[in-house]
Amino acid sequence: MPLYKDSISEDQTYDQHVRAELNRWVRRLLRRPGLIERASKAMQNKFNDKIVPKRVHTVITVAVKGLIKAVVIGLDFIPKSPPLYEVSLQKRDQLAERALAKYKKIAAAEGAGTGLGGFTMGVADFPALIVIKMKFLFELAHIYGFSTKDYRERLFLLYVFQLAFSSQEKRPELFKVILNWEENIGSWPVEERYEQQIDWDQFQREYRDAIDFRKTLQLIPGLGAIIGAWANYGLVDDLGTVGMNCFRLRIAGGVYLENDHPKRY
C-alpha cells in the first residue's frame, strides 16, 4: 500500500510528517488481533493442515531455510550500487517507492508466468518469490544508507522479513528487536554464530502460514496466472510497507506512542 495517504500540512516539516506516519503504522502493526482476525487465522490453519498438499509445505520449508541462510552467509544479493549517503529522507522515500513499484511488477509477472504452468511450476514459484523479496530488501537497505556488506545489516533484513509475514501475536517481540536495533547492534555475535539469533522453526512456520492461503490458490487449474500475479504483487507490497517503515524508523530515531507502546523521541 502507498505510505502516504495524508498530505503534509503547512506547519509540518517532512520529518515531522514521517514521524506521525510511523506512529500510525506502529499502532496498526501492534494492535491486538480482533475476533475476525482470530477466526481467519483458525480457518487458515485448518486450510493449511487439511487441504494444502504436504509437498507444498515441504517446498516452502526447504526454500525458506536454504535461501534465508544464503542471504546472511553469501554476498550474491548485495547490490552493485553503493549505499546512499547525505540524501534527505524524502528523497530516500521517493526512491524506495520506485523500487517497490519495480519489484511488485517483477513479482506479479513471475507469479503469472508460473501460474500458467500448473502444479509443478506453481510450487517452483515459492522459492523464486523469496529471491525477489530479498533482492528488494537489499536494494532498500542501500537506498536508506545501510550497507549490506555488514552481515548485521543482512541480519536486520531477516527481522524485517519476519515482521512482514509474522502473526499478530509474534509482531510485538519482533518489533522490539527492530526498535532497539541501534542500541543492541554492537552486542550481536560474530558472523560465524549468526544462526543463534534466528529461531528457524518459527521463521519457516510463520512465513509459510502467512503466504500459504494466497499462494496455494495459485494452484487452482484455470486461475493460476491471475491469482499468481495478484498474490505475488500483494505479498511484495506488504513487505515494502514494513521494510520502508523499519528503515524510516531507524533514521527517525524511534517512535513516540502515548499509551503502552515504546516511546523514544
Side-chain angles (χ1 to χ4, degrees), residues 86-104:
E86 299 181 359
V87 177
S88 70
L89 178 57
Q90 186 170 13
K91 180 63 175 179
R92 295 183 195 277
D93 284 345
Q94 292 169 351
L95 293 173
E97 289 280 9
R98 292 178 197 168
L100 177 57
K102 177 182 71 175
Y103 279 96
K104 285 194 294 187

Side-chain angles (χ1 to χ4, degrees), residues 79-247:
K80 293 181 180 179
S81 57
L84 297 178
Y85 301 118
E86 299 181 359
V87 177
S88 70
L89 178 57
Q90 186 170 13
K91 180 63 175 179
R92 295 183 195 277
D93 284 345
Q94 292 169 351
L95 293 173
E97 289 280 9
R98 292 178 197 168
L100 177 57
K102 177 182 71 175
Y103 279 96
K104 285 194 294 187
K105 291 178 181 178
I106 293 172
E110 197 277 334
T114 54
L116 288 171
F119 182 85
T120 301
M121 289 295 291
V123 170
D125 181 55
F126 286 100
L129 181 59
I130 293 176
V131 171
I132 292 171
K133 290 173 180 175
M134 282 301 167
K135 285 184 176 180
F136 166 68
L137 282 181
F138 271 69
E139 187 171 327
L140 196 66
H142 281 217
I143 287 173
Y144 283 99
F146 299 95
S147 175
T148 54
K149 289 183 178 180
D150 185 337
Y151 97 96
R152 294 170 299 183
E153 292 301 336
R154 302 198 295 273
L155 194 60
F156 179 78
L157 297 184
L158 295 192
Y159 278 99
V160 171
F161 190 95
Q162 286 186 86
L163 184 64
F165 301 110
S166 64
S167 63
Q168 206 71 31
E169 290 81 7
K170 296 293 183 181
R171 283 180 176 175
E173 175 186 346
L174 293 167
F175 178 74
K176 184 177 179 181
V177 174
I178 288 173
L179 181 67
N180 297 302
W181 191 264
E182 301 299 336
E183 285 73 15
N184 299 326
I185 193 170
S187 64
W188 292 115
V190 296
E191 185 168 357
E192 290 75 14
R193 297 205 303 270
Y194 81 92
E195 288 192 47
Q196 298 173 3
Q197 300 299 316
I198 302 294
D199 184 339
W200 291 107
D201 288 337
Q202 176 185 318
F203 194 118
Q204 296 166 60
R205 185 170 56 253
E206 291 281 329
Y207 179 69
R208 186 197 69 191
D209 291 349
I211 72 169
D212 263 358
F213 184 73
R214 277 186 276 187
K215 291 300 291 174
T216 49
L217 290 177
Q218 182 178 335
L219 305 180
I220 298 175
L223 296 178
I226 296 174
I227 294 177
W230 162 76
N232 283 13
Y233 187 95
L235 289 166
V236 173
D237 192 43
D238 292 345
L239 179 63
T241 298
V242 172
M244 292 172 68
N245 277 321
C246 284
F247 282 114

Side-chain angles (χ1 to χ4, degrees), residues 43-53 57:
M43 184 183 302
Q44 181 175 322
N45 289 340
K46 186 175 181 180
F47 179 86
N48 290 339
D49 294 337
K50 303 295 184 182
I51 299 176
V52 177
H57 289 306

